[in-house]
């Protein structure tokens, strides 16, 4: 009955674990205690089954010898040696599981999440400082131009000279002063190294102009330049576009680093649970292997210890028969 009960537990434990993992436990990481309990629930029935198999083999071997009472000494020696090897192995496996789960749990803890979020926030803060600098340059350029020309003239060589001077002094590589006609057509009034028409239209899109109704500037960047679009005179639909390649490499590296950190952390979070299960499966297999080897060694040792007693009993019986 004990053997039947152990076999039933060996079959029921994996099924119960599967149902628990798939239906009753969310996608978050297992806590060290839960992981250790699941491992223990699956390991103990299998260990008990191996010990009972060793006991059955010991009984069969004892029955083939001359020992009385079905070879209880042989069976007890196998049981003692098996327990001496099994108990430390089980305790070691549970301790290793708890330690590993604690380490994995650390990466999913609130402290680790704060550390990653702080790193990303720091990168974004560096980006914001650079964006703020060039936005400030664009707004200051507008203020300087309006201070000298409250009404922006068209086709003025003096204004063109002043416009180029402002562009140069502010380390800007492109600048375009333009008017929006009929809410959609862009008409350039003054320009310095203006981008290609298609590229300029894409950067000064209807969506960007719509955002500038309630904002002082719109900033963006690509792999080559950072550009700012800011209103000059909303009443006259005048806007300023400026662009510069300065600090763009830094912005791109910061963006790539922040994106990489987030991606790596998400990947780590996704793999953490599978790593938990894989590590416990490895511990489970190693523990069963060691217990099986220990039981086989216990059988061999018990055979060697019992053999002299068996020979002595056989000799005693022969002497008694001769008498």
């Amino acid at each position: 009955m004990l053997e039947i009960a152990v076999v039933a537990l060996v079959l029921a434990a994996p099924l119960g674990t599967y149902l628990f993992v798939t239906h009753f436990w969310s996608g978050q990481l297992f806590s060290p205690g839960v992981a250790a309990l699941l491992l223990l629930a699956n390991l103990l029935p299998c260990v008990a089954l191996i010990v009972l198999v060793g006991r059955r083999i010991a009984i069969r071997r004892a029955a083939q010898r001359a020992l009385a009472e079905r070879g209880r000494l042989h069976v007890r020696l196998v049981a003692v040696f098996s327990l001496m090897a099994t108990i430390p192995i089980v305790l070691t496996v549970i301790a290793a599981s708890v330690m590993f789960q604690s380490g994995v749990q650390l990466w999913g803890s609130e402290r680790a999440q704060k550390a990653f979020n702080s790193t990303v926030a720091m990168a974004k803060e560096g980006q914001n400082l650079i964006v703020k600098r060039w936005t400030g340059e664009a707004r200051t350029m507008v203020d300087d131009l309006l201070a000298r020309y409250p009404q922006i003239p068209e086709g003025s060589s003096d204004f063109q000279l002043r416009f180029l001077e402002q562009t140069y002094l502010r380390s800007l590589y492109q600048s375009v002063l333009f008017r929006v006609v009929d809410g959609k057509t862009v008409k350039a009034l003054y320009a310095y190294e203006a981008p290609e028409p298609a590229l300029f239209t894409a950067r000064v899109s209807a969506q960007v102009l719509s955002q500038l109704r309630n904002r002082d500037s719109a900033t963006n960047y690509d792999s080559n330049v950072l550009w700012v679009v800011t209103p000059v005179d909303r009443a006259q639909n005048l806007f300023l576009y400026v662009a510069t390649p300065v600090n763009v490499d830094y912005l791109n590296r910061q963006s790539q680093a922040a994106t990489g950190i987030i991606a790596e952390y998400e990947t780590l979070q996704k793999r953490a649970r599978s790593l938990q299960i894989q590590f416990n499966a490895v511990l489970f297999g190693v523990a069963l292997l060691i217990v099986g080897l220990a039981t086989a060694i216990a059988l061999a040792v018990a055979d060697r210890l019992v053999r002299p007693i068996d020979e002595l009993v056989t000799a005693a019986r022969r002497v008694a028969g001769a008498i």
Side-chain angles (χ1 to χ4, degrees):
M1 292 181 63
L2 179 61
E3 291 173 350
I4 293 174
V6 170
V7 171
L9 287 175
V10 169
L11 297 176
L15 179 61
T17 301
Y18 174 78
L19 293 176
F20 176 79
V21 171
T22 55
H23 294 86
F24 300 103
W25 190 265
S26 60
Q28 62 185 355
L29 296 176
F30 294 115
S31 65
V34 171
L37 286 175
L38 290 176
L39 177 60
L40 191 63
N42 287 271
L43 183 60
L44 287 182
C46 293
V47 169
L49 181 62
I50 292 175
V51 173
L52 289 177
V53 170
R55 175 180 176 274
R56 174 71 65 174
I57 295 174
I59 291 175
R60 179 173 298 179
R61 289 184 179 181
Q64 297 173 358
R65 299 182 181 277
L67 297 177
E69 299 182 355
R70 299 179 62 189
R72 290 184 180 179
L73 178 61
H74 192 279
V75 175
R76 289 175 181 175
L77 285 174
V78 172
V80 169
F81 290 143
S82 298
L83 290 176
M84 288 176 61
T86 299
I87 293 176
I89 292 301
V90 172
L91 295 178
T92 302
V93 166
I94 297 302
S97 175
V98 171
M99 293 178 65
F100 176 80
Q101 310 306 329
S102 299
V104 173
Q105 194 76 15
L106 176 63
W107 291 103
S109 65
E110 184 178 353
R111 182 179 298 179
Q113 292 178 356
K114 287 182 178 179
F116 280 101
N117 291 336
S118 298
T119 303
V120 175
M122 186 179 299
K124 291 183 178 179
E125 183 64 24
Q127 294 176 334
N128 291 335
L129 289 175
I130 293 176
V131 169
K132 186 177 180 180
R133 174 201 170 181
W134 294 111
T135 301
E137 293 288 353
R139 288 304 309 164
T140 305
M141 181 175 174
V142 170
D143 294 339
D144 289 348
L145 291 173
L146 290 177
R148 187 164 181 177
Y149 300 92
Q151 294 293 326
I152 303 297
E154 293 189 23
S156 171
S157 59
D158 184 62
F159 185 87
Q160 176 71 29
L161 182 62
R162 183 68 175 173
F163 185 75
L164 296 178
E165 180 184 13
Q166 285 286 325
T167 303
Y168 173 76
L169 292 176
R170 303 194 180 284
S171 300
L172 299 170
Y173 284 63
Q174 294 176 347
S175 59
V176 179
L177 183 65
F178 63 94
R179 174 179 280 120
V180 179
V181 182
D182 298 331
K184 56 181 180 179
T185 304
V186 175
K187 178 183 178 182
L189 301 180
Y190 300 94
Y192 173 75
E193 295 292 337
E196 295 294 330
L199 185 60
F200 181 72
T201 303
R203 292 177 179 175
V204 187
S205 61
Q207 182 180 3
V208 172
L209 296 175
S210 176
Q211 293 175 357
L212 291 175
R213 293 175 183 175
N214 301 316
R215 294 169 53 181
D216 290 334
S217 63
T219 307
N220 205 341
Y221 62 92
D222 56 19
S223 59
N224 297 315
V225 297
L226 176 146
W227 65 89
V228 182
V229 183
T230 184
V232 177
D233 189 342
R234 286 189 174 93
Q236 299 183 38
N237 289 326
L238 289 175
F239 297 87
L240 175 67
Y241 162 91
V242 295
T244 178
V246 179
N247 302 129
V248 172
D249 183 59
Y250 172 80
L251 287 174
N252 285 299
R253 284 189 284 108
Q254 288 288 82
S255 297
Q256 292 174 2
T259 303
I261 290 174
I262 295 174
E264 289 294 334
Y265 183 68
E266 291 177 350
T267 302
L268 178 64
Q269 289 293 92
K270 292 178 181 179
R271 291 188 58 193
R273 184 171 176 179
S274 63
L275 287 175
Q276 281 187 314
I277 297 175
Q278 291 174 10
F279 183 78
N280 279 305
V282 170
L283 286 178
F284 178 81
V286 170
L288 291 185
L289 178 62
I290 294 176
V291 171
L293 291 175
T295 302
I297 294 173
L299 287 169
V301 172
D303 286 343
R304 294 195 63 179
L305 292 177
V306 171
R307 187 178 298 112
I309 300 176
D310 186 25
E311 294 175 353
L312 180 62
V313 171
T314 301
R317 286 176 178 175
R318 288 178 180 175
V319 170
I323 294 176

